[in-house]
Amino acid sequence: MPTQPSLRRMREHDVRPRRDLGQNFLVDSNILGVIERLAGLEPQDVVLEVGGGLGVLSEHLAPRCAHVHVVEIDTALVPALEEALAPLGNTTLHVADAMDLDLAALDPAPTKVVANLPYGIAAGAILRTIEELPSVTRWVAMVQKEVGVRLAAHAGRELYGVPSAIPQLACDVEVARTVSRSVFAPVPNVDSVLVRLDRKGPAPSPELRRLIRGAFAHRRKALPRSLELSGGIPGVGPDIRPRARAALEAIGHPADERAERLAPEEFRELLEQLAS
């Protein structure tokens, strides 16, 4: 009989992983210690775990911090999760879509996000928590390798884009470790990594996020043309293209520079130029 908690719970609760939800459960308990060390948990920390799965990460984190908010969308996993959380007095289970959950209402407020993120929402969940949870100072997340590389990509790299520039304005981002496919069941057909983000400042404003998304909306176009095609940004009229060209030159770039050549902080400078 399987004794590893995930394998045992899959068997006892007849759990069949759903690929449409990107369910790949941790079945190698050694990785839990790696995640814990990267998270640097303190007794006062409040953890948000997105994608509770079968509870193995939840029950590892709870004794090492003040509270764990566990979010899980799949109601079929609730019995297994409740079994894992029952002995723990400092957890709250939220059966909800993490992309719709009222994050600001979480009490106590999270200070760290630690999760084996479902592949389909990984980047979105990280971006959303950066924006909506100013109390969070660190993220440690298991994500698909390409997502992790994209989050940490620097300006000028092929994978640098919106999921790079927006989080890097608020956080230092690194791919901390590659992870073997064998730690999951079922074994995924993609590679995974652990990423760590450490907050260095507030989330970018809605105007700055819109500028970045518009700048990358048409990657084969120059940034001013991409902004024009994407509908511009609030407060800047129909002359967005010539104004963006002038703003690029003012911050030391060619007038027809591409978005992927601008470092995250340069988007902030660009917005300031456009607003002046």
Side-chain angles (χ1 to χ4, degrees), residues 207-222:
E207 294 78 13
L208 184 50
R209 296 198 299 270
R210 181 165 175 175
L211 169 67
I212 292 171
R213 291 190 173 102
F216 284 101
H218 304 272
R219 289 186 68 98
R220 296 186 180 182
K221 305 288 186 183

Side-chain angles (χ1 to χ4, degrees), residues 195-210:
V195 292
R196 183 169 66 186
L197 296 84
D198 287 301
R199 191 182 288 276
K200 61 182 180 180
S205 67
E207 294 78 13
L208 184 50
R209 296 198 299 270
R210 181 165 175 175

Side-chain angles (χ1 to χ4, degrees), residues 227-241:
L227 286 177
E228 183 179 53
L229 290 172
S230 65
I233 57 174
V236 180
D239 59 343
I240 180 65
R241 189 176 182 183

Side-chain angles (χ1 to χ4, degrees), residues 7-215:
L7 295 174
R8 177 174 56 78
R9 289 176 188 141
M10 287 175 70
R11 180 177 181 274
E12 292 178 355
H13 295 277
D14 193 26
V15 170
R16 300 180 182 182
R18 292 178 53 181
R19 292 199 178 274
D20 63 314
L21 293 178
Q23 289 178 345
N24 299 95
F25 302 124
L26 290 171
V27 295
D28 183 343
S29 296
N30 292 322
I31 199 68
L32 301 176
V34 176
I35 295 171
E36 174 202 338
R37 288 190 291 275
L38 287 172
L41 292 181
E42 300 289 346
Q44 69 273 17
D45 276 325
V46 176
V47 172
L48 171 61
E49 181 192 358
V50 176
L54 295 169
V56 293
L57 181 57
S58 314
E59 61 189 358
H60 184 84
L61 297 173
R64 295 165 171 82
C65 63
H67 197 87
V68 182
H69 292 285
V70 184
V71 183
E72 178 53 59
I73 191 174
D74 188 359
T75 56
L77 299 181
V78 169
L81 258 177
E82 288 180 336
E83 174 194 296
L85 301 180
L88 307 167
N90 62 335
T91 63
T92 305
L93 175 59
H94 307 268
V95 183
D97 185 337
M99 299 305 290
D100 295 328
L101 183 67
D102 185 354
L103 298 176
L106 293 175
D107 185 22
T111 60
K112 290 179 178 174
V113 174
V114 184
N116 174 26
L117 287 173
Y119 288 156
I121 67 164
I126 290 172
L127 290 174
R128 183 167 184 247
T129 51
I130 289 173
E131 295 166 12
E132 298 185 27
L133 289 174
S135 55
V136 171
T137 59
R138 177 171 290 181
W139 291 253
V140 175
M142 185 88 71
V143 299
Q144 185 176 340
K145 182 179 179 180
E146 183 176 337
V147 171
V149 172
R150 194 178 292 274
L151 286 165
H154 296 298
R157 299 292 179 89
E158 182 180 356
L159 291 180
Y160 178 72
V162 172
S164 319
I166 291 180
Q168 287 177 33
L169 279 162
C171 303
D172 293 320
V173 185
E174 67 168 338
V175 174
R177 179 177 173 140
T178 58
V179 179
S180 169
R181 298 184 186 191
S182 65
V183 307
F184 302 103
V187 176
N189 58 8
V190 295
D191 294 319
S192 299
V193 296
L194 284 166
V195 292
R196 183 169 66 186
L197 296 84
D198 287 301
R199 191 182 288 276
K200 61 182 180 180
S205 67
E207 294 78 13
L208 184 50
R209 296 198 299 270
R210 181 165 175 175
L211 169 67
I212 292 171
R213 291 190 173 102

